Amino acid sequence: MPIATAAPTGPVNDLLAALLLGLIEGLTEFLPISSTGHLLIAQHWLGERSDLFNIVIQAGAILAITLVFRQRLWALATGLRDAANRDYLMKIAVAFGVTAVVGLPVRLMGWELPDTVSPIAWALILGGVWMLFAERIAERRGDSAHITWVVAVLVGLAQVVAGVFPGTSRSAAAIFMAMMAGTGKRSAATEFVFLVGIPTMFAASGYALLEHFLESGTGGEAWGEMGLAFAAATVTGFVAVRWLLGYIKQHRYTPFAIYRIVLGVALLLWLPAGV
């Protein structure tokens, strides 16, 4: 689970730490830099949090993207008579289904997040290098906005890989998988991945809540702190997504890849061995 460390405690400090974690989650969930990786790194200094806390505040960011895409979602939901809408919704369902079918057994086998920063640092570096390579390959394949069935399946698998290796970034893994598989247009690949993320992360949060209630009831969690972090993630996530959707219309993802590599190297160089 998150990296355990000594951190200031007390009601005010705990609330401030929860607020900061919510802000970090909202800012990083949909940028291709790994929200889980940033949360685990931040918790090295801000104090350990439960898997439930991490997953539920991710739901705050998903709520934000639901609000951003509310018109698109409404158009899809009310346009089922249109063959293109039905096709797109089915591909979202397939991507989500692949994630669930492959990812659930991994969860049931007892997989847990790492308790050290080093694996996250390596995932940041390798993911950044892969992003640079993948974007070059995708550019050679044209600027198609079409989502194929192959893209839908690979996006689902990419989400599982990102969940198993914190620091990979769900959005980065899925977006660049889509681009390499034929959806070369960044905005089209990004929109599809974001829409697939809505049922994926809401389902993950719901499953984590169910697990928690069955095992611990309503005790064992600081619900006020979680609520504050959820709200912060929602607000900052909304702002981050709106900004990113405008940014990628004219720019590449290269700066995010460089940021990942620099952060990963810095973590490996500056953190004590074994952390």
Side-chain angles (χ1 to χ4, degrees):
M1 219 344 277
I3 303 118
T5 185
T9 59
V12 175
N13 287 327
D14 290 343
L15 283 172
L16 179 59
L19 175 62
L20 290 174
L21 290 171
L23 293 173
I24 291 169
E25 165 59 28
L27 289 172
T28 60
E29 176 62 41
F30 298 106
L31 301 183
I33 55 176
S34 177
S35 62
T36 301
H38 279 75
L39 282 176
L40 293 175
I41 293 167
Q43 288 176 29
H44 179 67
W45 288 279
L46 297 176
E48 181 179 358
R49 297 284 175 165
S50 67
D51 278 340
L52 178 67
F53 179 94
N54 290 332
I55 293 174
V56 167
I57 66 171
Q58 283 180 329
I62 300 298
L63 175 59
I65 203 167
T66 304
L67 295 173
V68 170
F69 283 101
R70 62 191 182 280
Q71 293 180 336
R72 174 68 164 137
L73 291 169
W74 179 253
L76 288 170
T78 58
L80 294 178
R81 293 183 179 180
D82 182 76
N85 279 348
R86 291 197 304 271
D87 180 74
Y88 196 85
L89 284 171
M90 284 298 297
K91 286 168 181 171
I92 289 176
V94 165
F96 169 70
V98 169
T99 301
V101 169
V102 180
L104 184 58
V106 174
R107 177 74 177 179
L108 293 176
M109 285 189 294
W111 175 87
E112 294 183 353
L113 296 173
D115 58 2
T116 60
V117 173
S118 298
I120 298 169
W122 280 112
L124 286 168
I125 295 170
L126 295 175
V129 173
W130 181 74
M131 284 171 62
L132 293 173
F133 171 77
E135 193 155 40
R136 287 185 176 275
I137 296 298
E139 287 179 346
R140 297 174 186 172
R141 299 193 174 184
D143 199 31
S144 172
H146 182 58
I147 304 295
T148 66
W149 292 103
V150 171
V151 167
V153 172
L154 291 178
V155 164
L157 292 174
Q159 291 193 132
V160 177
V161 172
V164 172
F165 298 101
T168 304
S169 171
R170 186 195 66 83
S171 61
I175 289 169
F176 284 97
M177 187 63 75
M179 291 174 64
M180 291 185 69
T183 308
K185 190 172 183 179
R186 285 188 297 271
S187 58
T190 300
E191 178 184 88
F192 182 74
V193 168
F194 283 1
L195 291 175
V196 172
I198 293 174
T200 300
M201 292 310 303
F202 274 143
S205 296
Y207 184 84
L209 281 170
L210 179 61
E211 272 191 327
H212 180 83
F213 289 142
L214 290 177
E215 294 175 3
S216 307
T218 58
E221 286 292 338
W223 296 103
E225 295 172 20
M226 189 183 297
L228 176 63
F230 178 92
T234 302
V235 174
T236 53
F238 185 89
V239 174
V241 171
R242 291 290 297 269
W243 173 81
L244 181 64
L245 292 175
Y247 174 86
I248 60 173
K249 291 179 180 178
Q250 302 293 334
H251 301 86
R252 296 168 53 140
Y253 278 110
T254 303
F256 298 106
I258 295 173
Y259 167 80
R260 291 174 61 107
I261 295 169
V262 171
L263 176 60
V265 170
L267 289 171
L268 291 175
L269 290 177
W270 294 336
L271 283 176
V275 174

